[in-house]
Amino acid sequence: MAEETKVVGATAKTRLRRRLRFLRTRARELKMIGKALVSTKHPILVHIIPMRQCNLACTYCNEFDDFSKPVPLEEMKKRLDALADMGTSIITISGGEPLMHPELDEVIRHMRRRGMIAGLITNGFYLNKERIERLNEAGLEHLQISIDNVVPDEVSKKSLKTLDGRLVMLSQYAVFQVNINSVLGSGVKDPEDALKIAHRAVELGFTSTVGIIHDNNGQLRPLGPHEQEIFEEVMALGKRSFSRFNEFQHNVARGREHNWRCRSGSRYLYICEDGLVHWCSQQRGYPGIPLAQYTPEMRHREYSTKKFCAPRCTVSCVQQVGILDNWRDPQNLNPMPMTPPATPQAELVQIGEVRGDS
Ligand code: SF4
Ligand code: SF4
């Protein structure tokens, strides 16, 4: 077990602020669910990338580079305004490593100003007391860190050993909700690590979730019996998490296909650093239309478009969004024919692993 940093609890003032922000966010989440059930015309969740560059280089990840510049603040604001005008409920900032963006606090502030629930996925390496306080002040509501192992190895440095001190700081100073995601599946050396990470998360007062990796061909691969036991244990520990999605996750763990309607391109959008709309991080390249030109008709079309990758999909956030519409409106359209892009773009790809989200 990695050496743990001594825990000093949050002050009474921080605990009160945390409670108040939790209640406010929960009220907004309930409103978001009500709005989503009443109307299918707006995006529920959007992932947006303000920074493709990352300070790490996890060997399984294809969602980062080591050179790209931050998206300018004014451009980020324009994109956020376009999303707010569509009626978007939740925006999660992802990367690359978003904390490398020099004006991230203002990006978060703008999301809140426009009434959207603000989340952030980070590898956590840039967190310290001052940065956490700035995120508090900006109005962040959710933060997720994905931890891959207990001690760093050649695949990933996102380990409990390297991050534990930062997790303790979060438990002391963060007023936003923190979720720690661990992983199981192919490429994970020691499945027990996921359990240790989940226990540490709960000990520090966070929620915990577990992601399951599929193989390099994008195919589901069932977990072994021991991994499945660990999976069940981590899921039970994570029962406080609002975002858990047991049925889907149980199917993935057993390598079973699942029957659902993916509403990406409509109820879920992935906006890359170039401001293009994609189905999701695993299916980048389609529809590949600039956000500013993405019309309600296009969203409506994608709502009714059957996704070939749905039965074996492992993208849990889109699955969660899907719950709100799975019971209605069968999908009977095929993806639109694509016109050749003027400039080279990412091809439509099924990316083999799902951990490339910091
Ligand atoms: S990979 Fe999953 S989330 Fe992405 S488009 Fe396919 S079904 Fe939807
Ligand atoms: S998984 Fe996250 S931390 Fe690792 S290289 Fe990719 S973006 Fe960076």
Side-chain angles (χ1 to χ4, degrees):
M1 178 70 187
E3 198 178 309
E4 289 176 359
T5 310
K6 195 163 173 284
V7 180
V8 180
T11 62
K13 187 177 166 205
T14 302
R15 289 202 303 275
L16 179 64
R17 286 176 71 201
R18 189 177 286 168
R19 189 75 196 143
L20 288 175
R21 185 160 301 180
F22 172 81
L23 291 174
R24 254 183 234 135
T25 303
R26 189 46 61 92
R28 279 147 49 72
E29 286 167 345
L30 291 173
K31 199 169 145 205
M32 171 272 289
I33 291 171
K35 181 177 161 188
L37 290 172
V38 169
S39 167
T40 60
K41 303 254 182 285
H42 61 279
I44 298 167
L45 173 66
V46 172
H47 273 98
I48 193 163
I49 314 294
M51 184 84 197
R52 184 58 75 187
Q53 195 181 141
C54 186
N55 54 318
L56 301 183
C58 308
T59 57
Y60 55 76
C61 177
N62 58 5
E63 293 191 43
F64 78 103
D65 63 35
D66 59 1
F67 55 85
S68 58
K69 298 273 177 276
V71 179
L73 178 61
E74 285 315 307
E75 183 55 38
M76 281 303 298
K77 283 185 176 174
K78 269 190 214 153
R79 292 176 193 174
L80 295 174
D81 286 339
L83 292 167
D85 292 345
M86 289 177 186
T88 302
S89 298
I90 311 172
I91 299 200
T92 299
I93 301 169
S94 186
E97 175 43 52
L99 288 178
M100 291 175 79
H101 194 291
E103 291 167 297
L104 190 75
D105 302 350
E106 194 46 40
V107 172
I108 294 169
R109 246 182 223 108
H110 198 71
M111 283 157 59
R112 291 298 310 272
R113 238 180 254 132
R114 292 301 316 257
M116 298 176 286
I117 296 172
L120 173 67
I121 297 175
T122 170
N123 63 38
F125 277 65
Y126 287 105
L127 290 172
N128 53 35
K129 179 177 181 229
E130 185 256 335
R131 198 72 210 256
I132 295 167
E133 293 288 10
R134 276 169 50 196
L135 293 171
N136 286 341
E137 293 309 317
L140 186 69
E141 294 173 280
H142 292 280
L143 177 139
Q144 174 163 298
I145 301 180
S146 195
I147 301 185
D148 295 338
N149 44 35
V150 170
V151 290
D153 59 20
E154 64 287 354
V155 172
S156 171
K157 306 282 177 269
K158 294 188 298 181
S159 64
L160 207 46
K161 186 177 167 68
T162 49
L163 285 164
D164 197 64
R166 304 194 191 279
L167 299 187
V168 170
M169 278 186 246
L170 280 167
S171 75
Q172 284 177 296
Y173 304 115
V175 301
F176 43 84
Q177 295 167 55
V178 177
N179 184 63
I180 305 299
N181 190 58
S182 53
V183 287
L184 280 170
S186 62
V188 174
K189 276 189 200 152
D190 187 353
E192 298 284 343
D193 279 9
L195 200 50
K196 289 173 190 157
I197 293 161
H199 275 290
R200 183 62 172 157
V202 170
E203 184 186 14
L204 290 170
F206 307 144
T207 56
S208 96
T209 49
V210 59
I212 299 169
I213 307 162
H214 57 126
D215 68 20
N216 286 328
N217 298 318
Q219 301 297 294
L220 296 182
R221 183 185 290 174
L223 298 179
H226 183 50
E227 287 173 312
Q228 281 198 25
E229 268 172 37
I230 291 173
F231 169 80
E232 298 296 342
E233 217 173 319
V234 178
M235 291 295 278
L237 270 175
K239 61 185 181 300
R240 287 175 51 213
S241 167
F242 180 74
S243 64
R244 73 194 190 282
F245 184 14
N246 291 355
E247 197 47 48
F248 151 67
Q249 287 264 11
H250 285 290
N251 278 341
V252 175
R254 289 171 180 79
R256 285 187 202 138
E257 293 194 352
H258 38 279
N259 182 17
W260 67 295
R261 293 171 183 146
C262 170
R263 308 287 182 174
S264 61
S266 173
R267 305 287 260 168
Y268 170 84
L269 305 176
Y270 178 94
I271 313 296
C272 72
E273 67 278 25
D274 297 323
L276 304 178
V277 178
H278 306 264
W279 271 355
C280 70
S281 64
Q282 293 193 69
Q283 297 294 349
R284 281 178 280 162
Y286 186 89
I289 294 169
L291 179 62
Q293 297 164 23
Y294 203 58
T295 62
E297 292 70 34
M298 289 170 181
R299 276 188 276 130
H300 185 67
R301 193 183 197 289
E302 290 303 331
Y303 180 82
S304 301
T305 298
K306 197 174 170 65
K307 311 299 189 308
F308 65 89
C309 38
R312 293 181 159 264
C313 171
T314 58
V315 186
S316 60
C317 56
V318 189
Q319 297 265 348
Q320 285 161 15
V321 167
I323 295 176
L324 294 163
D325 300 309
N326 273 343
W327 55 281
R328 60 186 166 194
D329 305 328
Q331 294 174 313
N332 44 27
L333 297 182
N334 291 318
M336 288 181 290
M338 290 174 73
T339 46
T343 50
Q345 291 176 3
E347 288 177 9
L348 181 63
V349 286
Q350 172 104 28
I351 294 166
E353 298 184 344
V354 292
R355 290 189 294 177
D357 58 359
S358 281

